[in-house]
Amino acid sequence: MIWLIGSRGMLGSEIANILTQKNIPWIGSNSEVDITDVNALNNFADSNDTSARQTGKSVSKGTVPGKINWVINCAAYTNVDKAEEESETAMKVNAEGALNIARTTRRIGAKLIHISSDFVFGGNKNTPYTEDDIPDPVNAYGKSKALGEDCVTSEITRYYIIRTGWLYGFNGKNFVYTMTSLMKNNSSVKVVNDQKGTPTNCINLASFVYRIIETSEKAAGLFGKKSALPYGIYNFSDGGEATWYDFANEIYRIGRKHSVIENECSVNPCTSQEFETIARRPSYSVLDKTLIQKSLGLKLSDWKDSLEQFIKDKRFNP
Ligand SMILES: NC(=O)c1ccc[n+]([C@@H]2O[C@H](COP(=O)([O-])OP(=O)(O)OC[C@H]3O[C@@H](n4cnc5c(N)ncnc54)[C@H](OP(=O)(O)O)[C@@H]3O)[C@@H](O)[C@H]2O)c1
């Protein structure tokens, strides 16, 4: 069984959809099981992990129905600008929360998939960041996510940390929804053209998370202990790269093509200085995905194709 923490969030709800479609037993929790409270996590685990209930503290290995084999952590403090003013809260949720989850995961004998961010990087590079690059975050959110990674890696060995960025999904506030509404209600929009990353459809990231679990469970078989994908840190995003301005242009083009945006709106570039935000953003946060492409033979969708799938979908509701 899988414990999906943050199951109601933008990414979590897509992972929940896939697990449900694949008939994988899962249980979800959100802020009612506060990840900053290790007792709340332990209590939730103990009351839902049936094998823990039967055997006390030691739990059997392998895929036993009712035993939590995997914990997926999609819960986080995600408001990048507000994190500057509430840096202590961001730290508590993203770092201490990750630590608590890692400890609980170890106690129940499960494996952890923890979602991290491209914002652990500062943007001093102009070639894609690999898994070996050293985090150098430039804002409070990035610092809290970087520390969250350290909390996981220092506490347990059976983890997959996935760094990703520029997510959009049906169930949450995101750039595609914001831009579509702005374009529908204005004759022009200004968008930052000096920050580069890769827009990523949550559905693709959710499929990748599922793929990790599937590959690992298949490799383990009944008695084996081997995991197909070695534990560690992995980058995931859609393919290609874009500035926010490129991203907005594509939203407009596809929105018009599918009659989601019916009026004309001009999309104009501006600099980060012209469009000031509370939190500084990395000017470059493209992730190198060579490792997962080689390890899993994964084919990445181009970000423009993924965006079109998203806008065409009947669930698209900006
Ligand atoms: N969005 C992006 O562009 C982006 C980019 C890179 C990485 N990420 C990472 O991807 C992951 C998922 O992000 P998202 O955008 O899907 O997040 P989201 O939509 O903001 O959802 C956050 C989830 O975390 C839960 N949560 C917040 N504080 C909690 C607490 N103290 N205890 C327990 N649960 C708590 C929320 O529960 P409630 O619903 O009950 O409040 C919600 O389910 C995060 O790790 C984020 O850092 C996101």
Side-chain angles (χ1 to χ4, degrees), residues 88-262:
E88 264 181 46
T89 312
M91 234 1 137
K92 208 168 163 53
V93 177
N94 294 345
E96 206 178 308
L99 181 71
N100 291 337
I101 289 171
R103 286 183 174 159
T104 306
T105 302
R106 186 181 52 211
R107 192 181 67 82
I108 62 175
K111 300 169 188 175
L112 175 64
I113 298 180
H114 173 77
I115 308 298
S116 190
S117 169
D118 59 343
F119 276 21
V120 299
F121 296 119
N124 289 325
K125 280 183 79 177
N126 53 16
T127 54
Y129 281 96
T130 70
E131 285 81 354
D132 293 333
D133 281 312
I134 308 292
D136 56 346
V138 292
N139 57 39
Y141 168 77
K143 285 177 190 159
S144 69
K145 292 299 286 184
L147 193 59
E149 290 185 356
D150 292 344
C151 288
V152 171
T153 57
S154 63
E155 202 65 25
I156 54 175
T157 51
R158 299 201 303 162
Y159 65 80
Y160 296 99
I161 291 176
I162 304 172
R163 290 188 182 134
T164 189
W166 294 32
L167 293 181
Y168 58 86
F170 298 112
N171 195 24
K173 193 173 177 293
N174 63 72
F175 186 78
V176 187
Y177 278 179
T178 305
M179 273 298 138
T180 306
S181 307
L182 282 174
M183 288 167 180
K184 282 167 98 164
N185 294 303
N186 293 280
S187 55
S188 70
V189 291
K190 259 191 181 180
V191 190
V192 169
N193 198 28
D194 55 8
Q195 293 168 23
K196 220 173 232 184
T198 308
T200 301
N201 189 328
C202 278
I203 292 184
N204 295 336
L205 175 52
S207 301
F208 175 60
V209 167
Y210 173 72
R211 179 84 182 269
I212 291 179
I213 296 173
E214 187 190 36
T215 315
S216 173
E217 290 297 327
K218 273 188 185 156
L222 259 185
F223 304 108
K225 288 192 171 98
K226 215 177 103 217
S227 173
L229 188 66
Y231 295 116
I233 298 180
Y234 292 93
N235 292 339
F236 181 90
S237 73
D238 281 333
E241 54 184 59
T243 65
W244 293 107
Y245 169 69
D246 299 331
F247 193 7
N249 264 320
E250 204 54 18
I251 293 167
Y252 182 63
R253 187 188 69 77
I254 298 169
R256 291 279 285 169
K257 181 177 162 192
H258 295 284
S259 304
V260 168
I261 301 165
E262 291 184 326

